[in-house]
Amino acid sequence: MKGKLLRRPVFAVLAALTAFSMLAGCAGNSSGVLQQGSSSGESSSEEKDHTLSVMGYDRRSDDILISERENYQVWQEFAKELKDRGITLELELIPKEQYPTTITTRMAASQSLPDIVNLSDLDDQTVVGFGKTGTVIDVKSAMKQYSNGSIQKMWDKYWPSATKRITTPDDKIYWFPSVSKGILDGEPRKGTGFILEIRKDWLDKAGMAAPTNADELFSVLKAFQDKDANGNGQKDEICVVSLESYNNGIAQTFGVAPKLVDIQNNTDKAVSPWYQEGMKDYILYMQKLLSNGLIDASLFGASDDIKNGKISENKAALVYDYIAQNWLEQMITSAEGADYLPVYVKGNDSIQPSFRRERSELVWQRFAVTKNCDDVEGAIKLFDFIYSDRNAELDFWGIEGLTFKIDEQGNRVSLTIGKTDKENAESGAVNGDYLWGRSLLPAVLVQEAHLKDWLASGTSEAKIMMNRQADDPKDTLFTNDYYTTQALALPTDEEIEILNQYQNTVETYCQEILVGLIQGTKPLEDWDSYIKQMQELGLDKLIKVYQDRHDRYMAS
Amino acid sequence: MAKKAASKKKWTVTDVVLTAVCLIILIVTVYPMYYVLILSVSSPEAVSQGSILLFPKGLYFGSYEIILKDSRMWRAMLNTAFYVVLGTLITLFTSVTAAYPLTRPGLKFRRLYVFYLLLPMYFSGGLIPTFLVVNGLGLYNTIWAVILPGVSIMYIILVRSYFVSIPPSLTESAFIDGATHLQVLMKILMPLSKPILAVISIYTIVGIWNSWFSASIYLTNEKLHPLQMYLQRVLIAQSVDLSTVVSVDEMRDAMKKMLTATQLKYSMIIFISLPIIMIYPMFQKYFIKGVMLGSLKE
């Protein structure tokens, strides 16, 4: 009887709890488990403390964990510098592999956001979109109000392109970028790049010289197969390059741009490979390589894992990578003495080869101040320090006597070159770039290098010297260059619409045609019809958008 | 006599074709797992060269040694075991306690309750609304964010269908003898419902064991990560999208990651799959009997 009397109240309570739990989800920006931006800011006094919450990756290297940052002297120095400025950081460290998922969800939900967040996994347009909805703030106006001028001064001194690259058409800036600049022996570097590399040990074995033109390259590749350069009894020495892309080194020997729409540096023109003089010659050459078994058809669309497998199997006669790379040889565990030699090959006598160059002056990544930041003044103060000579020294060089030393000429010399991350972690010889740079806050890297250090690094002299040549602003060989990060202003709304409407379709069609032409399934004689179709799909509109963005960038 | 006749049954063309098809399906189904197994015990050089097809080359158990010595793996496994046990208990509890009232003839607004339960099975709120609810309830970065959302309405329907299939005379006679609803549920219905409870348990165990998506969205604390998150992190750590690399330093880091412990991921896949492979046979008899039970009517 008693049980029956209690039933109704009990069920009523349960029903109420169910209803309450439904309403709980409708709560606004809540106290969840996550800390809200817990900044303090009572007055505009110089002496006030600033506590800022920062969210980023938990590490850049598997051996150097940001959670163990207190063990490293460079972090202690960094924290001291911040403390002197009244700044305390509360870190939210997310495992790096999980970060893209986490940040996409949190930003889309616009809830439980920290004061400063690493948005490098999102693209420019997405972050600008967050800026327009107010999820991230316009830091340009915040800088005008609170900055002591250090940020802009540093950008103007080392990275004059920084402001241009991150300012929207309506004159707003929604993030702070990481910045990097290369200096070699006191002179600015133009930037290294990508080039074809051929097996030098196979050349020596075959008694052949490095190729300098397309015919010689073909002869050398054929000889590798005929003479069984890898000694496994099969004709499997092939070119391991991206076969379905315009950016594979072989295309560049014919002066072809590396992207569907790219900015030619020496003419400031937006170009497409389909309109370039060497494109047909490139396709014919690839057909020749394919028909002679010097390209493996199964590598069309293959992932990097599969291509790397071919390199590991000691089958890659020709590859395309950074000039001074020294990691591909390490993959070839089944053969001794494997060595790749960079080669400058001209596909066509009348066309200068193109060169895909990485800017020495890099502006990349995105670190935004979110709407939850109550202490914008503190955030700007933090970035004033980040973009300062002192932080640049901690970030790139680290601690004198531990990670670098000063030589007799007064130059800084790294003490960690040639050592593994694990060795550096054990000795504590870690710079800021492994702790806060690129992970939590922008990296500010003024990379002063010396040729003698490069030569002592273990990379072959041939690679170092070609790298030096390509890097030299006075060089006359690598002048038909295209930057890996294009010199483009952020797109307007209309341009975003055009890009969204046409880019995917044009890229898909063009790639289909390229692969079909190389494989021979599409006749070259129908070239004009393919171009006409590309134009109908919007190729010219895309070129115009890129040209306009580049023009605005150059004019700003 | 009948046995002799059966053993002398001649193979027809149909038998041959069916057997061949079954063999093909068997090979297609089993070979990928076998392939991963032989890669996990082959030498790393042979694995990176891609030269293994039917048999392992250069027996190597170093990867298993690395896994067994990795404290993060054990922590992830303990987390998963905890989530599995707790999640299964909660699922069983909610399924049974929600299903039982729906079987009682005198329940008012039964249709409304059934509608309330069925609607989310057709329309889900989606990721962001779910995230807002989980975060709003204060579950973000807690174990409850991966356990509670796993409770499924389908299991309530299954249990209800099974309860309905039990002869009502059993429960009616119990009520006549003065049994309460709780006694009827615990002493009559539950003992008879072992097959369906076993089915729900195995579905839940496998589901929670294999889940990583909830953890990737809601658990940023590495110490709470389940086993699949650990596996995903190791796999992602080794596969890098080279097209996103913008500098020589990043390329160097990326290549290093891809080269190191290529073979480790295969060993991990085998090691993580083993517990489920071992548990399944224990539930098999219930699974076979119970998988169709929801459809039986008296």
Side-chain angles (χ1 to χ4, degrees):
Chain A
M1 187 66 176
K2 207 185 258 185
K4 284 188 181 177
L5 282 174
L6 282 174
R7 251 191 315 169
R8 281 179 189 250
V10 166
F11 291 150
V13 167
L14 285 173
L17 277 173
T18 307
F20 177 73
S21 67
M22 285 161 55
L23 289 172
C26 304
N29 204 356
S30 70
S31 57
V33 176
L34 294 167
Q35 296 288 332
Q36 288 287 346
S38 52
S39 332
S40 62
E42 287 124 19
S43 69
S44 54
S45 152
E46 280 290 325
E47 301 303 320
K48 73 176 177 191
D49 291 333
H50 307 280
T51 303
L52 299 163
S53 54
V54 180
M55 185 166 100
Y57 307 141
D58 66 342
R59 68 194 183 286
R60 207 191 114 201
S61 159
D62 288 338
D63 298 302
I64 301 168
L65 303 179
I66 299 175
S67 55
E68 295 169 0
R69 57 194 178 277
E70 300 293 345
N71 298 340
Y72 299 111
Q73 194 175 340
V74 72
W75 178 270
Q76 293 161 16
E77 281 299 311
F78 178 71
K80 183 176 168 300
E81 293 283 352
L82 291 184
K83 194 178 171 191
D84 291 345
R85 290 161 173 79
I87 298 173
T88 306
L89 299 183
E90 289 179 353
L91 304 184
E92 186 180 353
L93 303 175
I94 310 291
K96 191 161 190 261
E97 300 80 13
Q98 192 181 357
Y99 195 83
T101 311
T102 303
I103 195 59
T104 308
T105 315
R106 296 262 290 267
M107 291 300 291
S110 194
Q111 273 204 348
S112 302
L113 298 174
D115 296 328
I116 295 166
V117 63
N118 181 345
L119 295 180
S120 305
D121 288 302
L122 306 177
D123 60 29
D124 287 349
Q125 275 133 267
T126 306
V127 181
V128 169
F130 285 132
K132 289 184 175 164
T133 56
T135 310
V136 299
I137 70 169
D138 170 26
V139 295
K140 188 169 183 178
S141 55
M143 279 163 60
K144 276 189 189 141
Q145 198 176 350
Y146 299 114
S147 174
N148 61 10
S150 175
I151 302 171
Q152 195 63 55
K153 193 169 144 195
M154 192 80 168
W155 286 354
D156 292 342
K157 181 179 172 188
Y158 289 112
W159 299 278
S161 65
T163 316
K164 288 197 274 195
R165 282 193 50 75
I166 62 175
T167 305
T168 63
D170 55 353
D171 201 36
K172 290 186 169 36
I173 297 177
Y174 291 118
W175 65 82
F176 290 103
S178 283
V179 284
S180 169
K181 184 169 186 81
I183 297 174
L184 185 68
D185 292 323
E187 296 288 328
R189 293 170 54 196
K190 206 172 169 188
T192 184
F194 295 77
I195 204 156
L196 286 174
E197 299 200 347
I198 199 160
R199 284 288 292 268
K200 182 177 182 307
D201 49 319
W202 290 356
L203 281 175
D204 295 340
K205 195 173 159 187
M208 300 180 82
T212 57
N213 59 47
D215 290 335
E216 287 175 10
L217 178 62
F218 180 82
S219 304
V220 161
L221 293 171
K222 204 80 183 71
F224 285 166
Q225 279 196 351
D226 293 340
K227 295 182 183 180
D228 189 24
N230 63 8
N232 66 359
Q234 293 174 31
K235 288 191 174 186
D236 54 4
E237 294 82 354
I238 55 170
C239 306
V240 179
V241 297
S242 178
L243 302 179
E244 69 285 349
S245 142
Y246 316 100
N247 177 37
N248 61 10
I250 299 177
Q252 280 61 61
T253 65
F254 291 91
V256 170
K259 291 183 183 172
L260 175 63
V261 182
D262 214 331
I263 305 297
Q264 193 170 34
N265 195 32
N266 55 6
T267 61
D268 284 318
K269 290 282 171 232
V271 296
S272 175
W274 296 98
Y275 291 133
Q276 289 184 303
E277 197 188 332
M279 186 64 171
K280 276 191 192 173
D281 288 341
Y282 160 61
I283 289 170
L284 287 167
Y285 191 74
M286 290 292 280
Q287 287 178 348
K288 185 177 169 185
L289 291 177
L290 184 64
S291 61
N292 281 275
L294 296 170
I295 285 176
D296 184 345
S298 69
L299 291 184
F300 277 96
S303 66
D304 292 320
D305 278 345
I306 293 175
K307 288 191 208 129
N308 288 338
K310 295 291 181 191
I311 298 173
S312 300
E313 288 168 30
N314 198 27
K315 292 179 181 173
L318 188 74
V319 294
Y320 179 58
D321 212 310
Y322 279 99
I323 298 174
Q325 69 79 22
N326 58 3
W327 44 81
L328 293 179
E329 287 85 344
Q330 295 171 39
M331 294 168 70
I332 307 168
T333 52
S334 56
E336 300 266 340
D339 186 21
Y340 280 104
L341 175 73
V343 287
Y344 185 87
V345 175
K346 277 191 96 168
N348 185 311
D349 282 335
S350 59
I351 303 174
Q352 187 184 12
S354 55
F355 180 59
R356 186 160 178 255
R357 185 189 297 278
E358 170 193 296
R359 287 178 192 275
S360 152
E361 185 191 299
L362 265 183
V363 176
W364 85 115
Q365 290 200 306
R366 298 165 203 85
F367 296 85
V369 180
T370 72
K371 64 179 185 179
N372 287 358
C373 181
D374 297 326
D375 186 8
V376 176
E377 182 186 353
I380 298 301
K381 204 166 174 179
L382 171 65
F383 286 107
D384 272 333
F385 170 66
I386 292 296
Y387 294 102
S388 68
D389 289 326
R390 177 58 180 144
N391 178 62
E393 183 181 58
L394 289 174
D395 207 1
F396 182 70
W397 289 107
I399 302 293
E400 187 180 345
L402 187 59
T403 53
F404 75 96
K405 66 176 185 186
I406 309 286
D407 67 10
E408 300 82 22
Q409 285 80 39
N411 298 319
R412 282 183 284 208
V413 176
S414 172
L415 296 173
T416 58
I417 283 184
K419 292 187 183 165
T420 63
D421 286 349
K422 195 170 177 191
E423 285 165 350
N424 289 331
E426 282 166 3
S427 63
V430 166
N431 63 3
D433 196 33
Y434 277 93
L435 293 176
W436 64 89
R438 304 195 219 193
S439 312
L440 298 167
L441 293 163
V444 178
L445 308 169
V446 181
Q447 304 193 48
E448 299 161 29
H450 303 283
L451 185 60
K452 63 178 174 64
D453 293 333
W454 283 7
L455 290 167
S457 67
T459 304
S460 76
E461 189 173 337
K463 288 177 183 165
I464 297 289
M465 295 318 292
M466 183 175 279
N467 197 40
R468 179 73 189 94
Q469 182 179 5
D471 221 352
D472 188 348
K474 300 185 212 70
D475 165 66
T476 55
L477 201 62
F478 296 94
T479 51
N480 182 14
D481 50 2
Y482 298 80
Y483 285 126
T484 54
T485 47
Q486 295 167 321
L488 301 171
L490 291 172
T492 61
D493 290 341
E494 294 74 26
E495 287 169 346
I496 290 175
E497 209 178 306
I498 292 173
L499 291 170
N500 288 340
Q501 190 175 353
Y502 296 109
Q503 186 141 28
N504 279 345
T505 316
V506 174
E507 277 178 0
T508 306
Y509 177 76
C510 289
Q511 189 170 79
E512 194 186 297
I513 296 297
L514 177 63
V515 171
L517 285 169
I518 293 172
Q519 290 180 333
T521 56
K522 298 216 181 286
L524 204 56
E525 293 74 28
D526 293 344
W527 181 268
D528 292 337
S529 70
Y530 305 139
I531 299 299
K532 186 158 174 267
Q533 180 66 30
M534 288 173 199
Q535 288 166 343
E536 281 171 15
L537 288 173
L539 177 60
D540 291 345
K541 292 187 173 76
L542 291 179
I543 293 174
K544 184 172 181 323
V545 164
Y546 276 78
Q547 186 67 63
D548 290 345
R549 289 175 67 189
H550 181 66
D551 291 341
R552 285 203 306 277
Y553 176 92
M554 297 304 287
S556 61
Chain B
M1 194 74 167
K3 270 189 190 175
K4 274 192 183 173
S7 65
K8 282 193 179 168
K9 177 181 180 293
K10 285 188 182 169
W11 278 65
T12 64
V13 171
T14 312
D15 290 333
V16 170
V17 168
L18 284 175
T19 306
V21 168
C22 288
L23 273 174
I24 291 169
I25 293 172
L26 174 71
I27 292 168
V28 166
T29 312
V30 173
Y31 181 71
M33 196 71 188
Y34 173 72
Y35 182 66
V36 170
L37 177 65
I38 56 177
L39 286 181
S40 73
V41 296
S42 299
S43 70
E45 290 78 20
V47 171
S48 63
Q49 285 165 21
S51 57
I52 297 165
L53 195 62
L54 288 176
F55 301 105
K57 283 185 184 175
L59 275 184
Y60 175 77
F61 295 97
S63 297
Y64 286 104
E65 198 182 323
I66 293 171
I67 292 168
L68 289 170
K69 284 182 181 169
D70 188 352
S71 59
R72 291 176 304 168
M73 193 283 298
W74 288 111
R75 186 170 58 220
M77 185 170 273
L78 273 175
N79 288 341
T80 302
F82 180 68
Y83 299 155
V84 161
V85 169
L86 194 54
T88 305
L89 288 174
I90 291 174
T91 300
L92 287 173
F93 176 77
T94 52
S95 303
V96 166
T97 53
Y100 177 72
L102 295 177
T103 63
R104 294 289 92 219
L107 181 69
K108 284 189 182 164
F109 307 118
R110 180 212 305 276
R111 282 195 178 183
L112 186 62
Y113 297 138
V114 172
F115 178 75
Y116 172 73
L117 287 173
L118 284 180
L119 197 61
M121 287 178 72
Y122 295 106
F123 302 103
S124 166
L127 175 60
I128 299 302
T130 309
F131 178 87
L132 293 174
V133 169
V134 169
N135 195 36
L137 289 170
L139 302 182
Y140 189 85
N141 217 13
T142 69
I143 62 169
W144 302 108
V146 293
I147 291 174
L148 292 181
V151 175
S152 173
I153 294 169
M154 193 188 74
Y155 300 151
I156 299 174
I157 306 296
L158 274 179
V159 174
R160 177 191 170 274
S161 301
Y162 189 80
F163 282 175
V164 164
S165 70
I166 293 173
S169 46
L170 282 173
T171 52
E172 279 165 14
S173 58
F175 281 125
I176 290 167
D177 288 341
T180 62
H181 282 293
L182 195 58
Q183 284 171 323
V184 166
L185 177 62
M186 296 306 294
K187 292 187 177 174
I188 295 176
L189 294 179
M190 289 284 282
L192 292 173
S193 305
K194 278 183 191 162
I196 196 67
L197 295 179
V199 167
I200 291 171
S201 298
I202 195 66
Y203 277 155
T204 309
I205 289 168
V206 172
I208 297 177
W209 188 271
N210 288 334
S211 79
W212 64 269
F213 185 71
S214 293
S216 71
I217 298 289
Y218 301 117
L219 293 184
T220 56
N221 183 354
E222 195 187 326
K223 292 193 167 85
L224 297 179
H225 280 177
L227 208 48
Q228 300 300 331
M229 272 300 294
Y230 172 74
L231 174 61
Q232 188 222 22
R233 285 184 55 200
V234 171
L235 291 177
I236 288 182
Q238 287 173 20
S239 69
V240 180
D241 183 359
L242 295 178
S243 66
T244 62
V245 168
V246 295
S247 71
V248 173
D249 287 338
E250 288 187 3
M251 180 66 90
R252 194 172 287 121
D253 288 347
M255 296 307 293
K256 215 179 350 176
K257 276 188 184 136
M258 288 168 79
L259 280 171
T260 53
T262 309
Q263 187 232 24
L264 181 63
K265 61 187 175 190
Y266 298 111
S267 307
M268 281 196 58
I269 291 169
I270 294 293
F271 191 78
I272 285 168
S273 306
L274 271 177
I276 289 295
I277 292 171
M278 291 194 298
I279 284 176
Y280 237 95
M282 295 194 306
F283 284 80
Q284 194 175 7
K285 68 171 181 183
Y286 295 109
F287 188 75
I288 292 169
K289 206 197 288 188
V291 74
M292 294 295 287
L293 284 175
S295 66
L296 291 181
K297 303 289 176 211
E298 187 178 9

